[in-house]
Amino acid sequence: EDQVTQSPEALRLQEGESSSLNCSYTVSGLRGLFWYRQDPGKGPEFLFTLYSAGEEKEKERLKATLTKKESFLHITAPKPEDSATYLCAVQGAGNMLTFGGGTRLMVKP
Amino acid sequence: DTAVSQTPKYLVTQMGNDKSIKCEQNLGHDTMYWYKQDSKKFLKIMFSYNNKELIINETVPNRFSPKSPDKAHLNLHINSLELGDSAVYFCASSLYRSSYEQYFGPGTRLTVT
């Protein structure tokens, strides 16, 4: 059974204080690892897909990296508008997405 | 233009009732999904529907049934609602089933009293 664990559950940062979110996973036949952002009362919004260990992707202040056991979402100099819940998901051989519990990020001005 | 839309946004009903949630996508995607997000915010896949092929998460009770009138629509019917069905239900779509990002609707908050 595919499993995804995200840490920390919640993270408070000051504006400009860089940090990383962790996503540890076990999956049979990784087809892709996905990062999503979810704002309160809304559906998840797609951010990145990573397919193989060593791959990195960037978007504005966010950078996602992937190893064989975990993925990191690095946030550089965050702003209050980056506050949201960040979800990690893996797609294995069964083609279904398995989500982690998310990290709730709060960035204070 | 809304990519994935759901109706209603909120649904309050009593135990034992039957209800439906509608989902439409205008992205031309091939595959649609239903997810349940519980009070602890865990998102769990319920169904995947692609070209009339339905894949069901084995943990989903058979009171839940997806119905797809066409490629752009995937509705969720729930029979004999129970208190534990209270959650937020999300519809999503992707270009293909494998290795493609999914686009989510805004969610339907179902409350069973």
Side-chain angles (χ1 to χ4, degrees), chain A residues 31 36 38 41 51 91 96, chain B residues 9 55 97-99 102:
Chain A
R31 290 179 179 260
Y36 286 84
Q38 186 174 23
Y51 294 104
Q91 185 175 38
M96 295 290 202
Chain B
K9 176 75 172 171
I55 297 179
R97 173 170 283 147
S98 177
S99 302
Q102 296 180 15

Side-chain angles (χ1 to χ4, degrees), chain A residues 4 31-32 34 36 38 41-46 49 51 87 91 94-102, chain B residues 9 35 37 40-43 45 47-48 55-57 90 97-107:
Chain A
V4 179
R31 290 179 179 260
F34 302 82
Y36 286 84
Q38 186 174 23
K42 296 188 176 181
E45 175 188 347
F46 170 76
T49 308
Y51 294 104
L87 300 170
Q91 185 175 38
N95 279 324
M96 295 290 202
L97 281 188
T98 299
F99 279 84
Chain B
K9 176 75 172 171
Y35 286 85
Q37 189 170 44
K40 295 184 178 180
K41 304 300 182 185
F42 271 93
L43 261 176
I45 183 75
F47 304 102
S48 165
I55 297 179
I56 304 172
N57 185 327
F90 288 98
R97 173 170 283 147
S98 177
S99 302
Y100 281 85
E101 57 265 28
Q102 296 180 15
Y103 294 85
F104 284 77

Side-chain angles (χ1 to χ4, degrees), chain B residues 42-103:
Chain B
F42 271 93
L43 261 176
K44 293 185 179 178
I45 183 75
M46 299 177 71
F47 304 102
S48 165
Y49 194 87
N50 173 290
N51 288 332
K52 299 187 179 180
E53 179 187 5
L54 176 65
I55 297 179
I56 304 172
N57 185 327
E58 59 189 15
T59 66
V60 176
N62 57 15
R63 298 181 294 102
F64 291 79
S65 58
K67 301 224 188 293
S68 180
D70 55 59
K71 190 176 169 181
H73 296 84
L74 184 66
N75 303 324
L76 182 65
H77 296 269
I78 315 170
N79 295 324
S80 302
L81 278 156
E82 300 178 357
L83 291 176
D85 298 332
S86 295
V88 181
Y89 292 85
F90 288 98
C91 175
S93 72
S94 65
L95 185 59
Y96 302 113
R97 173 170 283 147
S98 177
S99 302
Y100 281 85
E101 57 265 28
Q102 296 180 15
Y103 294 85

Side-chain angles (χ1 to χ4, degrees), chain A residues 6-11 85 101-106:
Chain A
Q6 292 187 245
S7 61
E9 288 188 11
L11 181 62
T85 295
T103 293
R104 186 160 59 95
L105 175 66
M106 294 155 281

Side-chain angles (χ1 to χ4, degrees), chain A residues 9-106:
Chain A
E9 288 188 11
L11 181 62
R12 293 175 186 265
L13 297 174
Q14 288 295 129
E15 185 173 1
E17 179 186 4
S18 302
S19 188
S20 297
L21 282 55
N22 177 263
C23 170
S24 298
Y25 65 90
T26 55
V27 62
S28 55
L30 180 69
R31 290 179 179 260
L33 184 140
F34 302 82
W35 281 98
Y36 286 84
R37 168 189 171 132
Q38 186 174 23
D39 292 297
K42 296 188 176 181
E45 175 188 347
F46 170 76
L47 292 173
F48 304 107
T49 308
L50 301 167
Y51 294 104
S52 58
E55 189 175 1
E56 299 182 352
K57 287 196 176 171
E58 288 188 64
K59 179 180 180 179
E60 296 181 353
R61 294 176 293 282
L62 301 176
K63 178 181 177 180
T65 62
L66 180 64
T67 72
K68 289 186 177 180
K69 294 183 177 180
E70 57 192 351
S71 177
F72 291 94
L73 185 65
H74 306 279
I75 303 177
T76 302
K79 299 181 178 181
E81 53 262 43
D82 295 323
S83 297
T85 295
Y86 290 86
L87 300 170
C88 172
V90 295
Q91 185 175 38
N95 279 324
M96 295 290 202
L97 281 188
T98 299
F99 279 84
T103 293
R104 186 160 59 95
L105 175 66
M106 294 155 281

